[in-house]
Amino acid sequence: MKSVTTVCGKISGDEMGYTLSHEHLIVSPEIPDKKYDDYRLLDVDLMCAEVEKFKEKSGKTIVEMTPLNYGRDPLKYKEIAQREDINIICCTGFHKEEFLPKSAFELSESDLINMLLEEINNGIDSTGICPSVIKCGTSYNNITDTEKKLIKVVAKVHTLTGIPVSTHCDKGTMMLEQGEFLVKNGVKSENILLGHTDIQKDVNIQLEALRRGFNILTDHVGRELDDTDEERIRRMEIMIREGFVNQLFLSGDMGKKDYITTYGGKPGLDYILGIFKDKFVKEIGKEYFDKITKDNPKRFFSF
Ligand SMILES: [Zn+2]
């Protein structure tokens, strides 16, 4: 039977409730460069306080998309989940080339496949905490040879386990190419969630991805000025009108101090279920919002 694996164990899809499909709670790019300091979120207390606000807006589940070599910390996710009584799903897999661990370049495809299978079946670094989504990424307007190798690895791990694939499309580029390369390597489009697609402002590319059966994530919500969210809602309305509501997902990808209110940033993890939801419901309707933030994640993350 299908279920969803959280950092605290298995739950049924029905228990997921309102879900943010791509966030970062504890994260720290493992590159010793000051320019990434703002991307380091390491404080459990501050993040618990932030999650509290998400919960006040009826939030129930957060998908933590920090991959290998990016400061992933399953034990801290579990601590936050237990303290705040929410569901956290964590991930395995890889970011784009800039953030890859040495092992991604040095190990063979089959060794990498075994490494990821070990995490999925037995837990990450002997914590017993298992990931429930697998990530792959591509660079800006380019898929490097190593990224291609890793996409093949991710595709193989998916076909062996059924774990859903959620991706990083750098600044919204290469979404069709990346998706098609996964399909070519055996992943059905319905099991692929293309990430950061809303940075690509041409709705026709998003529509093309949807026509090919991919799920797409609007995950830069609240990042810029309010009128940009109006634009996001307008584009989502077009995609819904074209009949694709079942393939849409929402999140904020707020992996930076600038975006988390308890670190002094905005809009914060409560924004999508608060201000953004109000706007969306007014323009498009609550049943569609619930489909995108409840029904679709429940279907996609259950395997
Ligand atoms: Zn992210």
Side-chain angles (χ1 to χ4, degrees), residues 22-24 65 95 135 168 196 253:
H22 184 133
E23 297 298 339
H24 300 274
M65 283 306 297
H95 212 302
K135 182 168 187 161
H168 171 94
H196 318 325
D253 192 16

Side-chain angles (χ1 to χ4, degrees), residues 6 9 19 50 55 73 92 101 109 172 175 177 208 215 225-226 229 241 288 301:
T6 76
T19 299
E50 185 76 12
K55 254 176 59 178
D73 196 331
T92 187
E109 281 178 36
M175 65 174 102
E177 295 82 351
E208 183 55 30
N215 300 288
L225 298 168
D226 280 344
D229 275 347
R241 217 188 304 129
Y288 294 111
F301 291 105

Side-chain angles (χ1 to χ4, degrees), residues 45-169:
D45 292 336
L46 284 182
M47 197 45 81
C48 280
E50 185 76 12
V51 165
E52 197 93 34
K53 297 180 182 187
F54 165 71
K55 254 176 59 178
E56 279 164 18
K57 297 281 192 296
S58 307
K60 196 80 185 88
T61 299
I62 293 175
V63 182
E64 221 294 349
M65 283 306 297
T66 303
L68 271 76
N69 212 47
Y70 209 70
R72 184 183 57 166
D73 196 331
L75 289 173
K76 286 189 178 160
Y77 304 149
K78 190 173 180 179
E79 188 185 340
I80 295 169
Q82 286 176 332
R83 273 172 60 176
E84 296 305 321
D85 189 27
I86 61 152
N87 304 313
I88 296 175
I89 292 169
C90 74
C91 89
T92 187
F94 304 97
H95 212 302
K96 63 175 173 174
E97 176 147 339
E98 182 186 3
F99 299 116
L100 292 177
K102 268 204 182 112
S103 59
F105 301 94
E106 290 168 356
L107 294 182
S108 68
E109 281 178 36
S110 66
D111 285 345
L112 288 166
I113 289 165
N114 288 332
M115 184 176 97
L116 300 186
L117 285 175
E118 171 66 21
E119 291 200 342
I120 294 163
N121 294 325
N122 300 318
I124 299 166
D125 302 332
S126 55
T127 59
I129 297 169
C130 300
S132 201
V133 58
I134 190 165
K135 182 168 187 161
C136 60
T138 50
S139 297
Y140 185 68
N141 275 327
N142 182 32
I143 305 181
T144 69
D145 288 345
T146 306
E147 287 163 355
K148 280 185 185 158
K149 168 180 151 184
L150 296 176
I151 289 175
K152 286 189 204 163
V153 166
V154 164
K156 186 69 186 171
V157 171
H158 164 80
T159 55
L160 292 170
T161 60
I163 191 169
V165 180
S166 180
T167 79
H168 171 94
C169 300

Side-chain angles (χ1 to χ4, degrees), residues 146-210:
T146 306
E147 287 163 355
K148 280 185 185 158
K149 168 180 151 184
L150 296 176
I151 289 175
K152 286 189 204 163
V153 166
V154 164
K156 186 69 186 171
V157 171
H158 164 80
T159 55
L160 292 170
T161 60
I163 191 169
V165 180
S166 180
T167 79
H168 171 94
C169 300
D170 209 54
K171 308 256 187 301
T173 65
M174 305 308 283
M175 65 174 102
L176 297 176
E177 295 82 351
Q178 187 197 72
E180 290 300 341
F181 198 64
L182 279 161
V183 169
K184 195 179 148 197
N185 283 284
V187 189
K188 287 191 189 132
S189 55
E190 68 197 50
N191 294 316
I192 300 168
L193 176 56
L194 301 174
H196 318 325
T197 60
D198 54 326
I199 311 176
Q200 171 63 256
K201 290 184 179 61
D202 181 357
V203 73
N204 290 309
I205 299 177
Q206 292 169 313
L207 284 170
E208 183 55 30
L210 293 166

